[in-house]
Amino acid sequence: MEKVLVTGASGFIGSFIVEEGLKQGYEVWAAVRGSSSRQYLQDERIRFIELDLSSQARLVEQLQGQSFDYVVHAAGVTKCKDKQDFFRVNTDGTRNLVGALLQLAMPVKRLIYLSSLSIFGPIREEQPYQEILDTDSPQPNTAYGESKLQAEKALKEMTEGKIPTIILRPTGVYGPREKDYFLMAKSIKGHVDFSVGWKQQDITFVYVRDVVQAVYLAFTKGTSGKAYFLSDGEVYQSSAFSDLIIREMGRPWCLRVKAPLWVLRLATFFGEWLGRLTGKVTALNNDKYHILSQRNWRCDITPARRELGYDPQWQLERGVKETINWYQQEGWL
């Protein structure tokens, strides 16, 4: 039985990667921290291993005597109190993991890294918007995007000719257990649908199970060293997601508020200031401003379709239906 190591296994995407690995008959090892919740890792077949991604030396100790056929690096942070934490976790954590695998000379067949479309930032924003291509030059305008881009660069430099590697760059990932898009559903339940910016915004989504599909396809398909965009293949306007949420929640009355970008800028400025003052991570921060103000989130998934055999099964209508249903069953809404 082939062995799979999943970092970030207790997280939103990581927990689904673990589930699918078990379903496909792999021996799945969930890499967690001592403080990690195991709420979504209840299957008795899961093997657990504690890994400290902040130290290559510590990782070598923890991985000593282990061998994995595939490594899926899904660990990372999307919100931080301090900008440098993005680089400490997303960039240095990736560098430390790869360094440990190389130091141990572990014969990994494929390393899959979960990156993000966010590494590209606001490019191709002249209307009509064009799809972002893998040949475009990244111009990240968030600390998160920059940390992911630096992680990609470190990964490519360290693994070339040594560990076969595939990078996946999903657009906005949603689904059961996800907490950021959930805030929109929570707001709509409170009868407010908030959006920003008057200029047209083309947005893209990918359901978590389609991301997981791509992960396992990348074990044996795709070109080593290459990065692939992931979306559901469609492009939506900003109201599409909230319209579907409203429908699935039984059409509660809802006040639609569209604010200019300067209002969002003001809110995120004070949100970040308050987060630093209280020491708590807040969803309203400078990164969130840049993400919400970006107008073009189109991306070209043709290479993923052609080379990985990626075939998204969850269009937004189907995905939102299952997601809202899960939130309600779990008492989140």
Side-chain angles (χ1 to χ4, degrees):
M1 183 183 294
E2 291 185 309
K3 295 171 65 175
V4 179
L5 173 68
V6 181
T7 70
S10 62
F12 163 49
I13 300 175
S15 61
F16 279 96
I17 294 171
V18 169
E19 284 182 8
E20 182 62 24
L22 294 172
K23 191 181 298 182
Q24 292 196 22
Y26 291 100
E27 181 180 303
V28 182
W29 287 70
V32 296
R33 294 167 297 173
S35 60
S36 297
S37 168
R38 302 189 183 188
Q39 181 180 2
Y40 304 118
L41 300 172
Q42 296 295 315
D43 195 301
E44 60 184 15
R45 294 171 294 173
I46 299 172
R47 312 288 184 93
F48 289 95
I49 181 171
E50 289 192 20
L51 294 184
D52 180 2
L53 293 171
S54 68
S55 166
Q56 180 176 323
R58 182 75 179 122
L59 282 169
V60 169
E61 292 177 6
Q62 293 169 322
L63 289 168
Q64 194 76 48
Q66 295 283 359
S67 183
F68 299 99
D69 297 287
Y70 304 100
V71 175
V72 182
H73 185 33
V77 288
T78 58
K79 295 187 294 291
C80 291
K81 290 180 289 186
D82 188 326
K83 176 180 176 179
Q84 291 308 311
D85 287 341
F86 284 111
F87 299 93
R88 180 180 57 80
V89 177
N90 295 341
T91 307
D92 295 342
T94 300
R95 188 179 287 115
N96 291 335
L97 176 64
V98 175
L101 295 175
L102 292 172
Q103 188 174 333
L104 291 165
M106 193 177 293
V108 177
K109 295 179 181 178
R110 272 274 167 97
L111 168 62
I112 314 299
Y113 178 56
L114 270 292
S115 185
S116 171
L117 177 60
S118 289
I119 72 164
F120 283 88
I123 67 172
R124 296 182 177 270
E125 297 231 310
E126 301 79 19
Q127 292 180 294
Y129 303 134
Q130 302 296 314
E131 290 181 334
I132 298 170
L133 307 175
D134 56 15
T135 52
D136 287 327
S137 298
Q139 300 174 33
N141 61 347
T142 63
Y144 170 72
E146 179 61 37
S147 70
K148 283 290 195 178
L149 177 59
Q150 289 191 21
E152 282 196 19
K153 290 179 177 178
L155 190 68
K156 289 177 179 178
E157 290 171 2
M158 296 175 72
T159 61
E160 188 174 4
K162 298 172 183 176
I163 300 177
T165 302
I166 296 285
I167 295 171
L168 300 177
R169 295 169 174 162
T171 183
V173 186
Y174 72 102
R177 307 173 193 166
E178 198 279 330
K179 295 179 180 178
D180 286 343
Y181 286 118
F182 162 70
L183 294 177
M184 183 184 294
K186 187 177 179 181
S187 177
I188 288 171
K189 185 178 181 181
H191 307 293
V192 177
D193 176 27
F194 183 80
S195 61
V196 294
W198 305 109
K199 187 179 177 182
Q200 178 180 322
Q201 185 181 44
D202 286 0
I203 52 180
T204 51
F205 297 94
V206 60
Y207 190 67
V208 62
R209 295 188 191 278
D210 278 332
V211 175
V212 173
Q213 174 204 154
V215 167
Y216 284 93
L217 287 169
F219 280 13
T220 56
K221 298 180 179 180
T223 303
S224 178
K226 191 166 180 178
Y228 297 91
F229 295 121
L230 301 177
S231 77
D232 68 5
E234 302 293 334
V235 177
Y236 304 92
Q237 298 308 301
S238 56
S239 60
F241 197 71
S242 55
D243 285 345
L244 288 170
I245 291 174
I246 291 169
R247 189 179 79 180
E248 293 305 324
M249 291 179 63
R251 301 188 184 281
W253 70 267
C254 193
L255 177 65
R256 290 188 183 271
V257 178
K258 182 181 281 289
L261 285 173
W262 68 262
V263 172
L264 176 65
R265 174 75 282 184
L266 199 62
T268 54
F269 173 81
F270 283 107
E272 182 137 324
W273 175 80
L274 186 62
R276 289 175 181 171
L277 191 67
T278 61
K280 295 181 179 179
V281 177
T282 173
L284 283 174
N285 53 46
N286 288 331
D287 268 15
K288 180 62 72 173
Y289 168 77
H290 291 299
I291 290 169
L292 291 177
S293 63
Q294 185 169 323
R295 300 288 95 182
N296 180 29
W297 290 95
R298 290 172 173 259
C299 58
D300 179 21
I301 67 169
T302 304
R305 290 183 185 274
R306 182 179 62 245
E307 298 178 26
L308 294 178
Y310 173 65
D311 182 21
Q313 299 296 303
W314 296 80
Q315 300 304 304
L316 196 60
E317 182 175 359
R318 181 187 178 197
V320 168
K321 183 179 183 66
E322 177 161 305
T323 302
I324 296 301
N325 184 53
W326 185 90
Y327 287 150
Q328 292 173 331
Q329 288 182 343
E330 294 297 315
W332 287 31
L333 290 175

